[in-house]
Amino acid sequence: MSFQTPLTINDVITDIHAKKYLLPSIQREFVWGQEQIKMLFDSLMRDYPINAFLFWKVPKEKVSEFQFYEFLRDYHQKDNRHNPKANVSGSDDVMAVLDGQQRLTSLYIALKGTYASKLSYKRWDNPQAYPKKRLYLNLLSKPEDDTLEYEFEFLTDDEAKENDEDHHWFLVGKILDLKELHEVMNYMIEAGLSSNPDKEKAKFANRALSKLHAVIHVNGIISYYLEQSTELDKVLNIFIRVNSGGTTLSYADLLLSVATAQWKKRDAREVIIDFVDEINDIGRGFNIGKDIVLKACLVLCDLQDISFKVDNFSRTNMMKIESEWENITKAIRDALRLISSFGFSRENITSNNLIVPIAYYLKSIGLPNNFEVSTSRVEDRRKIKLWFVSSLLKRVFSFMPDGVLKPVREIIQKHGANGFPTEQIFANFKGTNRALQFTDDDINNLMYSKYSHGDTLVILSILYPWADLRHHFDVDHMFPKSEFTAKRLKAKGVPESKIDDFVANYNYIGNLQLLEGIPNIEKKAMDFEKWLKEVVPAGELTDYKKKHFVPDVDLSFANFDEFLEEREKLLIEKLRDELQ
């Protein structure tokens, strides 16, 4: 390994764009956020060191022995997170990046591409939630954050047009076209920055743009070491040693790199990433990561030690995992289909570790087809659901998940031939800090679950076992939430003394029901009493009240407190039957 003459950022970005720099399959994916990219550029502008890079030169006669990937240019958090495979047939020597991928990808995206991340207030499956943004530099003023010297922001092109006396947004990628310093000065003149009446701002703009030009075109920023060995085990060892202390390398990515180097018949990186994408589209969508898939591999292959460490991904274990891959993926896929049929998705699962014991059980009984709908599996599904919702509500995987996964696996091995061993699992953890039994106090506390809380749909799935939550169901306020304002409650005849309590309690589960999508749209903000009288057919009213736990009390708004108290009693009774 030798140290090389530093390169300019423009040189490296030009070569990345020409696909002269590639990523080896042992590399993890791009994980940096917008704030990290902005911090990188601020550091560059202030001449802060950004550490040396490590490149791996693969001679053209050896290139075909390895798999390489291209750099991401237009990052999209949902639709474009994975690096495309590189075509290296007939290639010259390849320069692969062993350390520095996050920084180089950030530079490439900032100078040549776009970054689309989800807006926090929009649903993950809404295409409008991911506006494409490019990196801009404000040439007129410093940022409000006094830890930064320059204001870099990812903006849409429309946002970047909103200039004022304190903002002139310069597209950072445009600096690639301003190769000579006189071109920078020409831009300053044409944009009116040089003639700004505020001389301090004119000076700041000149300094900022000139500095950006020097950072990209003049200074040798990219200092790097070059490794030329073609022994993959040696390269992998270097990669692990260099990256294992890095904050941006997840342990799952590190283990995926090990798997990629050791699998013989499959490209582990490609098949695992593709599988993760596939299962996350099941039902209403999940948020399964590579870590859960890799953990499931250890558990489902009956490896004695299932802890997440490099030693457990030895060549022997990886060969076993590769040979069992089809069975492992079917088990996980079927487990998620079952969980989806219970009404669960990324929105209300607090721990993805819950998937692993179900997948293990399905694999242990021979991976039956259509388990989630088979009429012969009704009782088995009931037992699995009881364990699943109890574990979810009790947060048994909230710390040290191996402390649950190993004993549950042993219980399934011993008792699983007669159905999912829910009773034995409950008995095993009784009296511990992972106890699954529900006391009366536990069940009473469930009444404090609120609308939009993760536990609420879990509880409703227990209360509404007849509802096939694979179809569209909404959580509805029986007494409409829009009416719970002091002014409206007063207009409905609610005494002044009750108004504060009404407003404080309308969002709890005692006022929530599951409604199919169309009935919920029809109900909208209609008073509950009026809804029952005018919309629910008279012949179905008794059944409706029973299915939705409607107490036999006055259903006017002024009587909301009694309705809530009596309905909570019915809910508690049902939860006791199901959970105790």
Side-chain angles (χ1 to χ4, degrees):
M1 190 185 301
S2 57
F3 190 74
Q4 305 293 306
T5 303
L7 305 170
T8 68
I9 290 175
N10 179 64
D11 290 338
V12 174
I13 294 301
T14 300
D15 284 347
I16 289 175
H17 197 63
K19 300 181 174 58
K20 293 182 180 179
Y21 283 84
L22 297 174
L23 299 168
S25 58
I26 60 174
Q27 266 287 14
R28 70 281 202 193
E29 294 191 297
F30 180 63
V31 296
W32 271 25
Q34 293 180 13
E35 293 301 318
Q36 288 167 292
I37 299 175
K38 288 156 54 178
M39 184 73 76
L40 172 64
F41 271 81
D42 185 74
S43 296
L44 290 169
M45 296 282 281
R46 298 165 76 173
D47 296 323
Y48 288 179
I50 60 168
N51 297 330
F53 295 76
L54 176 58
F55 297 156
W56 173 31
K57 187 177 181 179
V58 184
K60 59 183 178 181
E61 62 271 15
K62 291 284 188 178
V63 164
S64 61
E65 298 180 13
F66 306 104
Q67 181 64 61
F68 297 97
Y69 291 81
E70 296 177 14
F71 278 78
L72 275 179
R73 171 172 169 172
D74 294 296
Y75 174 82
H76 190 290
Q77 190 177 354
K78 181 174 181 290
D79 296 332
N80 195 36
R81 295 178 291 111
H82 307 319
N83 302 78
K85 269 189 172 181
N87 180 4
V88 293
S89 58
S91 177
D92 293 329
D93 296 349
V94 165
M95 191 70 81
V97 178
L98 287 180
D99 185 41
Q101 185 224 160
Q102 303 299 323
R103 287 167 286 163
L104 289 180
T105 303
S106 296
L107 292 170
Y108 189 45
I109 288 173
L111 291 164
K112 287 280 194 181
T114 58
Y115 195 111
S117 58
K118 193 182 86 65
L119 299 173
S120 59
Y121 54 86
K122 289 186 180 290
R123 287 177 56 91
W124 72 276
D125 53 354
N126 181 356
Q128 305 303 316
Y130 305 87
K132 287 187 176 180
K133 299 185 177 185
R134 296 192 285 176
L135 187 65
Y136 286 84
L137 168 62
N138 181 12
L139 296 179
L140 291 182
S141 60
K142 294 183 179 183
E144 293 182 2
D145 184 348
D146 57 11
T147 65
L148 302 174
E149 187 72 21
Y150 296 91
E151 186 174 12
F152 287 94
E153 285 294 341
F154 278 94
L155 304 171
T156 64
D157 290 343
D158 285 339
E159 290 172 337
K161 293 176 184 176
E162 298 176 3
N163 291 321
D164 54 36
E165 62 181 14
D166 291 320
H167 296 85
H168 178 95
W169 293 111
F170 175 80
L171 179 62
V172 172
K174 187 176 177 62
I175 198 67
L176 294 174
D177 299 326
L178 308 180
K179 299 184 182 301
E180 302 296 334
L181 193 56
H182 71 83
E183 293 175 304
V184 173
M185 297 302 104
N186 289 343
Y187 177 88
M188 292 282 296
I189 294 169
E190 292 167 4
L193 295 169
S194 298
S195 57
N196 192 317
D198 188 330
K199 297 303 180 184
E200 290 304 314
K201 288 183 177 177
K203 290 178 181 178
F204 181 85
N206 181 56
R207 184 169 69 252
L209 199 54
S210 298
K211 185 63 179 178
L212 182 62
H213 174 269
V215 163
I216 302 301
H217 292 288
V218 180
N219 301 340
I221 299 291
I222 309 298
S223 300
Y224 68 100
Y225 291 90
L226 188 65
E227 173 60 45
Q228 301 191 62
S229 171
T230 56
E231 296 177 21
L232 185 57
D233 283 347
K234 178 182 178 183
V235 173
L236 175 64
N237 188 50
I238 292 171
F239 175 77
I240 291 172
R241 291 197 178 197
V242 169
N243 286 289
S244 59
T247 58
T248 59
L249 175 64
S250 75
Y251 210 65
D253 286 317
L254 180 61
L255 297 178
L256 183 58
S257 299
V258 177
T260 301
Q262 293 178 343
W263 278 17
K264 298 302 182 185
K265 298 178 181 178
R266 297 176 173 88
D267 181 334
R269 172 191 172 110
E270 183 177 8
V271 298
I272 290 176
I273 287 174
D274 286 350
F275 178 64
V276 167
D277 285 346
E278 175 204 337
I279 58 179
N280 281 330
D281 280 337
I282 291 175
R284 293 163 62 187
F286 289 91
N287 190 26
I288 310 300
K290 300 182 292 290
D291 55 338
I292 293 298
V293 173
L294 290 167
K295 171 65 76 172
C297 288
L298 297 174
V299 176
L300 271 62
C301 284
D302 283 317
L303 300 177
Q304 183 174 1
D305 189 348
I306 62 170
S307 56
F308 229 34
K309 57 186 180 182
V310 173
D311 289 349
N312 284 337
F313 288 82
S314 63
R315 188 176 298 276
T316 300
N317 289 348
M318 289 312 305
M319 292 303 98
K320 184 172 185 179
I321 291 170
E322 184 179 17
S323 68
E324 285 283 321
W325 181 246
E326 294 299 330
N327 291 331
I328 291 169
T329 53
K330 178 171 170 39
I332 297 173
R333 190 184 297 115
D334 289 352
L336 285 167
R337 286 174 178 160
L338 176 62
I339 293 166
S340 176
S341 75
F342 295 158
F344 296 97
S345 67
R346 63 188 295 135
E347 297 173 359
N348 58 342
I349 293 183
T350 55
S351 173
N352 287 324
N353 282 294
L354 284 154
I355 298 157
V356 179
I358 299 175
Y360 183 83
Y361 173 70
L362 294 177
K363 185 171 181 286
S364 73
I365 61 172
L367 297 168
N369 291 323
N370 303 314
F371 184 90
E372 75 276 12
V373 294
S374 172
T375 55
S376 65
R377 303 285 182 176
V378 172
E379 179 61 15
D380 225 4
R381 290 197 297 270
R382 186 194 67 80
K383 289 181 178 180
I384 292 174
K385 183 177 179 181
L386 175 59
W387 170 81
F388 182 84
V389 297
S390 298
S391 299
L392 197 56
L393 292 172
K394 285 284 193 172
R395 303 281 199 276
V396 298
F397 284 100
S398 60
F399 67 100
M400 297 181 67
D402 288 1
V404 179
L405 289 174
K406 288 193 72 173
V408 168
R409 183 176 69 173
E410 292 170 5
I411 293 168
I412 292 173
Q413 289 170 346
K414 187 174 182 180
H415 302 285
N418 299 316
F420 192 80
T422 302
E423 293 181 6
Q424 291 88 345
I425 294 172
F426 274 50
N428 182 79
F429 291 105
K430 187 175 182 180
T432 73
N433 58 356
R434 301 184 197 265
L436 291 161
Q437 290 84 354
F438 279 80
T439 65
D440 285 348
D441 284 343
D442 291 333
I443 291 176
N444 289 337
N445 287 335
L446 296 180
M447 293 301 101
Y448 291 101
S449 296
K450 286 187 173 184
Y451 181 80
S452 80
H453 281 193
D455 285 349
T456 300
L457 191 56
V458 180
I459 299 167
L460 289 173
S461 75
I462 303 170
L463 296 169
Y464 288 79
W466 51 268
D468 186 349
L469 296 180
R470 287 173 295 183
H471 305 302
H472 188 69
F473 275 81
D474 290 324
V475 178
D476 170 67
H477 289 81
M478 303 173 88
F479 283 68
K481 62 181 179 181
S482 60
E483 300 300 310
F484 284 87
T485 66
K487 183 177 179 180
R488 291 187 175 185
L489 291 174
K490 192 172 183 180
K492 289 179 177 295
V494 177
E496 192 85 34
S497 59
K498 291 186 176 183
I499 286 177
D500 287 345
D501 283 341
F502 279 27
V503 172
N505 291 312
Y506 78 89
N507 230 9
Y508 288 114
I509 200 165
N511 188 39
L512 302 178
Q513 64 178 343
L514 278 182
L515 272 188
E516 287 148 312
I518 293 176
N520 188 42
I521 292 171
E522 293 172 345
K523 182 173 178 288
K524 291 185 179 178
M526 187 182 296
D527 280 4
F528 187 52
E529 186 176 34
K530 184 178 180 182
W531 160 261
L532 292 178
K533 288 179 180 178
E534 298 182 7
V535 179
V536 179
E540 300 175 11
L541 186 59
T542 300
D543 184 55
Y544 182 95
K545 286 186 174 182
K546 182 178 180 181
K547 285 168 58 176
H548 293 273
F549 307 94
V550 180
D552 187 18
V553 297
D554 175 12
L555 298 176
S556 67
F557 244 96
N559 199 46
F560 174 70
D561 51 348
E562 184 183 2
F563 163 81
L564 194 63
E565 181 180 354
E566 294 303 316
R567 186 166 187 262
E568 286 181 349
K569 291 178 182 177
L570 297 176
L571 300 183
I572 288 171
E573 182 180 354
K574 174 66 174 176
L575 291 171
R576 282 176 178 162
D577 289 342
E578 295 294 330
L579 294 175
Q580 289 189 333

